[in-house]
Amino acid sequence: MNVPKTQLKSGFTLIELIVVLAIIALMLSIATPRYFHSIDRAKESTLRQNLSIMRETIDQFHGDIGRYPNSLDELVERKYIRSLPIDPLTESSNSWQITAPDNSEFGAVLDIHSGSEAKASDGSFYNSW
């Protein structure tokens, strides 16, 4: 029996839709962990770069002035850096942990560390970097 073309309905069956959704779910279950792991690696890389730049800036300040800065804001005021970098783990520029020199006559900022107490992918703590 021939069915007229006006009565033919095109579309997807329920089985076809379920198969497509299952494939999408499988692909997402594979891609999602890799995505979050890449975000963590990017934050670690950004933290390493920020710490390196800040430490180099503190050393340049010490070489030019003969003492360490009294605060991180002094580095900005004297235009050694344009602004304080943001700690990518705490997402704040106010969470940096400062190590002071033994003698307070030589300033207040000898070294800088992250304010995060989380562990890095290598097992060390971010605030020990």
Side-chain angles (χ1 to χ4, degrees):
M1 170 170 137
N2 291 335
V3 180
K5 288 187 177 184
T6 57
Q7 290 182 357
L8 288 176
K9 294 184 180 179
S10 61
F12 299 105
T13 64
L14 182 60
I15 297 296
E16 290 171 333
L17 290 175
I18 290 174
V19 168
V20 168
L21 289 175
I23 291 171
I24 291 172
L26 177 67
M27 291 172 67
L28 284 175
S29 68
I30 293 171
T32 303
R34 290 183 183 193
Y35 171 73
F36 287 115
H37 182 65
S38 68
I39 289 176
D40 292 340
R41 285 188 311 186
K43 286 182 179 182
E44 287 182 3
S45 177
T46 303
L47 177 62
R48 282 191 176 103
Q49 184 67 29
N50 286 350
L51 288 172
S52 174
I53 290 170
M54 291 295 293
R55 289 172 177 158
E56 185 177 321
T57 303
I58 291 169
D59 290 342
Q60 288 174 352
F61 184 95
H62 182 264
D64 291 345
I65 308 296
R67 65 170 177 84
Y68 293 104
N70 291 321
S71 68
L72 294 176
D73 292 328
E74 188 175 4
L75 295 172
V76 176
E77 290 168 6
R78 293 188 179 237
K79 302 200 185 310
Y80 278 86
I81 52 175
R82 291 185 183 181
S83 64
L84 287 178
I86 293 175
D87 184 340
L89 301 168
T90 61
E91 298 179 356
S92 172
S93 62
N94 298 325
S95 64
W96 295 111
Q97 299 296 317
I98 296 171
T99 303
D102 294 334
N103 190 345
S104 62
E105 294 177 11
F106 297 114
V109 181
L110 174 66
D111 198 6
I112 187 170
H113 301 280
S114 173
S116 174
E117 296 180 6
K119 276 190 176 183
S121 60
D122 64 357
S124 64
F125 289 97
Y126 290 118
N127 58 10
S128 69
W129 286 8

